Amino acid sequence: MLQQINYRKWIKYFSFIALDLACLHIAFILACGFYLGWKKTGYADEDYAVVALVMSLSDILVTVVFKTLYLVLRRSVRRELLETMKHVLLSFVFLSLFLFSTKQGSVYSRVTIYLMYGIDAVLVFSSREIWKMILKKHRKKREPSTALLITTSGYAVEGLEALRRTDTTVKGMFITDKANEGSIQNVPVIVDRREAVDFLCWEWIDKLYICGPEGMDIPGSILTASRQMGVTVHTAISKKSFYYEVVKIRTALQKDDEHSGLSFFEGEHDIPFRISRFYSIYESEQDQQKGFHPHKQSWHLLFCPYGCIDVYIDTGKETRHILLDDPSVGLILHPSVWREMVWKIPGSVLCVAASGHYDSDKLRNDYTAYVKFLKEKEWSAVMESAQITGEGIV
């Protein structure tokens, strides 16, 4: 599904390149007509045919290298005018450098070149604005209200349900703690901030909806781009901890036997993620310690159906201690949380439900490496934000 979206994006992108080239050649014909006479368009002249080829290559080079079509669909009229002038001026400079660095440079009329790019600036600005209006009108007929959802793995379903109750079409999701693309309930998942910004632009998204726990990593680069494009931002932040949650597990005791009971839960219903793996640890001695690692992407539900187990969690900034001694109490650990478990009663059983398959995504039992991983993760987000917004790193 994400491939189809990217396919549509590139079709629109190349349509603007084709439009710019068409405007450039129309400007070339008009300039040559004014200077050489209308009976000779310029293409018939071998020297001017070379100019036509070089100016086309210069125009494409400027578009690719200087990214003059960045956010083109969502730019304001003022911004579009500035970007058009930048595009035309850079194309003119590249063509001038080629022409006047060759021995044939004196053959061409400077008046023709100046006139051509003057006409080109007017045509490019006008045609871009008209083409954007056409694309926007066509999109409005298909989907009156669209949204990009920013969330975490554990809150994706909740966010989708909230948006669908408002009759809003969720076109995509940016999941802050997911490494691999895919889909959830047929909605494509985006994991790269730059792709999310492109998505807002080329899919002409109306709303940015943020749903997740308090303290979640909301990419500033996406928020900045949303403001630039006039995308409205809506938030539904839960007051729950971003790092862990203590939840109730449905438990029923047998009426005729107080020592017999049943505890159960369902993925994406009782707990906020789909269960991909389940395992248990048992036959451990008293004061036995296990864990000593985080998981980079997976969510985990820990519960103790028998016995008593201490769980110590560390987020790199703070530590917490949770006692699991009741089969009706569970502990949900978000990704990238260091955990240590201590068996307080011999024979205690620890059961774990995980959102991801076992793929060695946990870090080694090295707390120093864990802290380094957190710092690199935070710095990577800052660098990516600066690249998208064009800001410097202090």
Side-chain angles (χ1 to χ4, degrees), residues 108-163:
Y108 311 109
S109 168
R110 295 182 182 182
V111 175
T112 305
I113 302 299
Y114 298 153
L115 184 60
M116 178 183 69
Y117 277 105
I119 297 172
D120 182 50
V122 176
L123 291 177
V124 168
F125 174 76
S126 303
S127 61
R128 283 183 181 178
E129 288 296 305
I130 293 172
W131 185 230
K132 284 191 285 185
M133 286 178 11
I134 293 173
L135 291 176
K136 184 177 182 180
K137 185 176 181 180
H138 176 68
R139 200 276 302 175
K140 286 289 186 183
K141 289 181 179 179
R142 293 187 294 113
E143 295 159 336
S145 182
T146 57
L148 171 67
L149 173 63
I150 294 183
T151 185
T152 63
S153 299
Y155 285 79
V157 175
E158 179 182 333
L160 285 173
E161 292 176 351
L163 274 171

Side-chain angles (χ1 to χ4, degrees), residues 17-31 43 51-60 87-88 91-92 95 116-117 119-121 123-124 127:
I17 293 180
L19 195 65
D20 288 351
L21 289 174
C23 291
L24 189 62
H25 283 272
I26 292 173
F28 177 69
I29 293 172
L30 293 176
Y43 292 103
V51 174
L53 176 61
V54 175
M55 71 182 187
S56 298
L57 294 176
S58 299
D59 194 80
I60 296 173
H87 178 91
V88 172
S91 299
F92 169 75
L95 179 62
M116 178 183 69
Y117 277 105
I119 297 172
D120 182 50
L123 291 177
V124 168
S127 61

Side-chain angles (χ1 to χ4, degrees), residues 34-46:
F34 285 125
Y35 185 74
L36 300 175
W38 296 105
K39 293 182 179 180
K40 192 174 183 180
T41 62
Y43 292 103
D45 189 309
E46 183 178 344

Side-chain angles (χ1 to χ4, degrees), residues 158-170:
E158 179 182 333
L160 285 173
E161 292 176 351
L163 274 171
R164 284 166 178 165
R165 286 195 294 269
T166 65
D167 294 328
T168 299
T169 302
V170 185

Side-chain angles (χ1 to χ4, degrees), residues 22 54 75 133 159 163 168 170 180 185-187 202 209-210 215 230 233 238 264 273 285 297 305 352 359:
V54 175
R75 294 197 291 230
M133 286 178 11
L163 274 171
T168 299
V170 185
N180 300 315
Q185 295 187 4
N186 295 321
V187 177
W202 296 104
Y209 190 82
I210 302 170
V233 179
S238 170
F264 61 96
F273 58 83
E285 299 177 354
Q297 301 298 332
V352 183
D359 58 357

Side-chain angles (χ1 to χ4, degrees), residues 358-369:
Y358 183 79
D359 58 357
S360 301
D361 70 336
K362 69 179 182 182
L363 295 171
R364 295 185 180 275
N365 298 4
D366 185 344
Y367 186 77
T368 303

